[in-house]
């Protein structure tokens, strides 16, 4: 698909390159950091593109009538940036005097992106590596069930293929050492993430703890990581890995000494303390402790323990805006306590009509979520729901799509067989996020027929899920 987009895009790129190559040689002087960024957005969701660095907006680039945008930066320091056409974003790397044009289709954001111009090869490499990782992530859902030996062999094979791809592109493009930090990171950190997440997901899905079966050198790679490298502050593959690593390192293994909720509290306070000691860079530390806080608050709904955890969090975190987000999340969680009425949000039916979610609850109900972008989860979730529906006929299963476009949802409904499971679309993600604390696709809510909450924080694939249905 990308090759077809690239071939049709070459005409526009030729015009852009002509403009760039007509620049004076003085623009390449040692003290000149002029750079250009432009592109075209098909099916725009709004009339602008945000140009950012470290999650901060540097410039807002308006779309012209023909949905193109262009910006000359008089001084742009080499480094990693991102561009956002909300709600999606991607990375773009600029070397000195790079001049880049990007093609974006909001209906298929990541798959549609193609760069051209000076600096295009390294950015197209980042996109190719990103898509390889996304494809592999989609394939991993049932791989986590493998035993240690089989799982390790599988991910080593994947990593070796990615390493060879990286090495061939590095030799071909001959990029800078600064860019190599991200180029390597695009295949190394996803590999490290697969290693860190395996014991967690395997236990959740199978009930078996394989921690003591892991080879002695299984986590040996940790010694080579610079955990406080500021260049990686806003690099999602690194931040995701770091959070999972802390989850493993911070785990407390003398489980029998505590109740489950107290163990969760002590483990997450431990993770905060390790992050505070391990991470010397304040930006990296804030990102990580915020991630720990989001994850903990969504998994443990003991209000007393939450307050104890937040005392430790507030001592370490210094990012005021994120502290406010954590506060909002805490309030949302408080509204989802077992026995309370389900807060109402608006959803869309297939005919485009909006209705309150409370209208969906006619009997005991399971609410679960999906996205067309995560096809592996989509298929597995509906398969699981169909199995449970047969086993527990006193429950009705309702699926809510979280994709940004109503048309995208309708196309997915035509593509897949969802059987008798009722389907609705979330037409205001911020509302459902704030009221139901939805931050990840795997959440499942169990609602009583009187529209009160039985369990607002569960997962159909959790081995204990059916305990709440009996």
């Amino acid at each position: 698909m990308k090759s077809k987009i690239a071939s049709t895009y070459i005409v526009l790129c030729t015009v852009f390159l002509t403009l760039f190559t007509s620049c004076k040689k003085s623009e390449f002087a040692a003290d000149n950091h002029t750079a250009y960024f432009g592109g075209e957005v098909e099916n725009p969701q709004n009339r602008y593109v945000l140009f950012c660095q470290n999650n901060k907006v540097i410039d807002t680039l308006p779309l012209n009538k023909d949905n193109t945008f262009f910006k000359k930066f008089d001084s742009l320091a080499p480094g990693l940036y991102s561009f956002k056409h909300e709600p999606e974003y991607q990375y773009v790397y600029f070397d000195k005097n790079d001049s880049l044009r990007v093609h974006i289709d909001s209906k298929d954001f990541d798959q549609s992106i193609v760069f051209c111009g000076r600096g295009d090869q390294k950015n197209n490499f980042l996109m190719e590596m990103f898509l390889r990782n996304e494809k592999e992530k989609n394939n991993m859902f049932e791989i986590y069930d493998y035993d240690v030996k089989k799982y390790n062999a599988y991910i080593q094979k994947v990593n070796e293929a990615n390493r060879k791809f990286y090495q061939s592109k590095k030799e071909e493009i001959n990029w800078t050492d600064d860019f190599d930090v991200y180029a390597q990171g695009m295949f190394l950190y996803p590999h490290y993430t697969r290693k860190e997440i395996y014991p967690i997901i395997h236990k959740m899905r199978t009930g078996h703890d394989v921690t003591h079966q892991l080879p002695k050198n299984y986590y040996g790679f940790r010694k080579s990581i610079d955990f406080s490298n500021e260049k990686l502050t806003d690099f999602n593959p690194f931040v995701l890995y770091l959070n999972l690593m802390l989850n493993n390192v911070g785990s407390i293994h003398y489980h029998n000494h505590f109740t489950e909720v107290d163990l969760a509290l002590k483990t997450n306070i431990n993770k905060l303390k390790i992050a505070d000691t391990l991470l010397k860079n304040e930006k990296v530390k804030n990102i990580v402790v915020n991630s720990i806080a989001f994850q903990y608050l969504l998994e443990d709904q003991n209000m007393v323990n939450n307050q104890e955890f937040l005392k430790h969090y507030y001592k370490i975190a210094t990012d005021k805006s994120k502290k406010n987000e954590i506060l909002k999340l805490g309030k949302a969680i408080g509204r989802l306590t077992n026995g309370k009425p389900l807060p109402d949000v608006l959803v869309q039916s297939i005919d485009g009509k909006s209705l309150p979610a409370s209208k969906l609850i006619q009997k005991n109900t399971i609410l679960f979520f999906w996205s067309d972008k995560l096809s592996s989860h989509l298929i597995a979730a509906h398969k699981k729901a169909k199995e449970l529906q047969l086993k527990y006929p006193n429950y009705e299963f309702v699926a809510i799509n979280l994709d940004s476009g109503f048309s995208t949802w309708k196309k997915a409904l035509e593509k897949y067989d969802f059987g008798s499971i009722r389907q609705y679309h979330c037409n205001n993600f911020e509302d459902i996020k704030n009221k139901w604390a939805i931050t990840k696709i795997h959440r499942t809510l169990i609602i009583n027929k009187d529209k009160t909450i039985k369990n607002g924080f569960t997962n159909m694939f959790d081995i204990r899920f059916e305990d709440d249905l009996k």
Side-chain angles (χ1 to χ4, degrees), residues 314-467:
Y314 285 128
K315 288 178 183 177
I316 297 172
T318 58
D319 186 332
K320 292 182 179 179
S321 65
K322 289 297 180 183
K323 282 184 175 181
N324 288 334
E325 281 189 43
I326 296 292
L327 182 61
K328 286 182 181 178
L329 179 63
K331 290 180 179 178
I333 290 169
R335 292 192 291 268
L336 292 170
T337 303
N338 295 353
K340 286 189 175 183
L342 178 69
D344 239 338
V345 300
L346 288 178
V347 295
Q348 281 177 299
S349 59
I350 189 64
D351 57 6
K353 293 181 180 179
S354 294
L355 68 158
S358 59
K359 295 289 186 181
L360 310 181
I361 315 298
Q362 304 299 327
K363 56 190 289 189
N364 294 334
T365 302
I366 309 295
L367 298 173
F368 68 100
F369 306 89
W370 62 275
S371 167
D372 190 40
K373 295 176 183 177
L374 296 170
S375 59
S376 178
H377 170 264
L378 179 164
I379 294 167
H382 281 85
K383 180 182 178 182
K384 185 72 172 178
K386 288 177 183 178
E387 293 172 357
L388 291 169
Q389 197 170 44
L390 290 173
K391 194 173 180 180
Y392 299 96
N394 58 317
Y395 277 90
E396 181 157 22
F397 286 72
V398 175
I400 298 178
N401 175 266
L402 298 179
D403 289 320
S404 57
F406 180 77
S407 60
T408 302
W409 171 58
K410 289 187 73 173
K411 287 179 181 178
L413 292 180
E414 296 170 2
K415 185 166 50 173
Y416 298 99
D417 177 17
F418 294 136
S420 62
I421 295 173
R422 292 164 60 197
Q423 298 287 336
Y424 294 90
H425 176 251
C426 167
N427 55 352
N428 187 339
F429 181 73
E430 282 303 309
D431 190 43
I432 206 169
K433 176 184 173 183
N434 292 334
K435 291 181 179 176
W436 290 2
I438 301 297
T439 61
K440 50 188 178 182
I441 204 77
H442 300 91
R443 272 276 300 287
T444 304
L445 289 78
I446 304 176
I447 311 301
N448 298 311
K449 63 181 179 181
D450 64 356
K451 304 180 183 182
T452 60
I453 298 164
K454 187 170 186 178
N455 190 337
F457 295 87
T458 186
N459 182 335
M460 281 197 297
F461 297 98
D462 191 314
I463 196 169
R464 299 166 297 180
F465 178 74
E466 293 185 50
D467 293 345

Side-chain angles (χ1 to χ4, degrees), residues 9-254:
Y9 194 51
I10 193 68
V11 176
L12 287 171
C13 285
T14 302
V15 175
F16 187 66
L17 285 167
T18 303
L19 171 66
F20 174 72
T21 53
S22 66
C23 298
K24 298 178 181 179
K25 288 185 178 179
S26 61
E27 291 203 7
F28 296 99
D31 60 347
N32 185 285
H33 285 81
T34 300
Y36 299 85
F37 184 52
E40 173 190 28
V41 181
E42 289 187 52
N43 305 301
Q45 300 295 307
N46 50 61
R47 303 306 304 170
Y48 57 88
V49 171
L50 300 177
F51 189 71
C52 313
Q53 188 176 42
N54 294 330
N55 277 323
K56 294 182 179 179
V57 177
I58 296 175
D59 209 333
T60 300
L61 313 180
L63 296 185
N64 301 316
K65 290 182 179 179
D66 60 356
N67 296 332
T68 61
F69 64 95
F70 182 81
K71 175 72 177 183
K72 176 184 177 181
F73 294 97
D74 293 326
S75 182
L76 191 68
L80 188 70
Y81 297 82
S82 63
F83 57 91
K84 297 182 179 181
H85 185 66
E86 294 178 321
E88 306 281 3
Y89 82 98
Q90 260 304 342
Y91 292 116
V92 58
Y93 186 92
F94 276 87
D95 272 322
K96 184 177 177 292
N97 299 127
D98 272 353
S99 185
L100 290 162
R101 185 179 178 95
V102 62
H103 171 271
I104 306 166
D105 186 341
S106 69
K107 288 187 176 180
D108 197 9
F109 189 84
D110 295 323
Q111 291 283 349
S112 72
I113 291 175
V114 179
F115 292 93
C116 69
R118 181 185 173 96
D120 62 343
Q121 287 183 298
K122 57 182 177 288
N123 281 290
N124 284 326
F125 163 78
L126 288 182
M127 278 310 305
E128 287 183 69
M129 199 67 249
F130 171 83
L131 292 174
R132 288 168 73 106
N133 288 328
E134 287 298 294
K135 182 179 179 181
E136 192 55 43
K137 188 190 297 182
N138 228 8
N139 293 336
M140 289 295 293
F141 202 73
E142 294 183 357
I143 305 296
Y144 294 122
D145 291 351
Y146 287 1
D147 62 40
V148 172
K149 186 176 180 180
K150 187 177 180 181
Y151 181 84
N152 217 18
Y154 178 87
I155 64 169
Q156 292 294 353
K157 182 179 178 181
V158 170
N159 188 54
E160 182 59 20
N162 286 337
R163 187 194 65 78
K164 288 180 179 178
F165 176 67
Y166 152 81
Q167 195 61 46
S168 67
K169 289 296 183 180
K170 182 180 181 181
E171 293 171 4
E172 175 189 336
I173 300 171
N174 192 29
W175 52 57
T176 63
D177 289 343
D178 185 78
F179 176 75
D180 196 51
V181 171
Y182 306 107
Q184 280 198 65
M186 282 299 287
F187 80 92
L188 282 178
Y189 291 117
H191 176 61
Y192 297 161
T193 295
R194 293 181 198 111
K195 292 182 78 80
E196 298 282 358
I197 203 172
Y198 169 62
I200 304 168
I201 302 296
H202 185 84
K203 184 178 180 180
M204 184 186 77
R205 285 176 59 88
T206 69
H208 299 303
D209 188 347
V210 296
T211 305
H212 300 295
Q213 299 173 28
L214 300 175
K216 290 183 178 179
N217 64 343
Y218 185 80
Y219 295 114
F221 60 87
R222 290 175 179 168
K223 298 176 183 178
S224 65
I225 299 174
D226 179 2
F227 289 106
S228 289
N229 187 343
E230 190 168 339
K231 291 179 180 178
L232 299 172
T233 301
D234 190 40
F235 191 50
N236 191 57
F238 170 74
V239 175
L240 176 61
Y241 162 71
L242 187 52
N243 183 54
L244 286 166
M245 184 277 293
L246 288 169
N247 192 76
N248 285 336
V249 174
S251 294
I252 297 173
H253 297 292
Y254 38 96

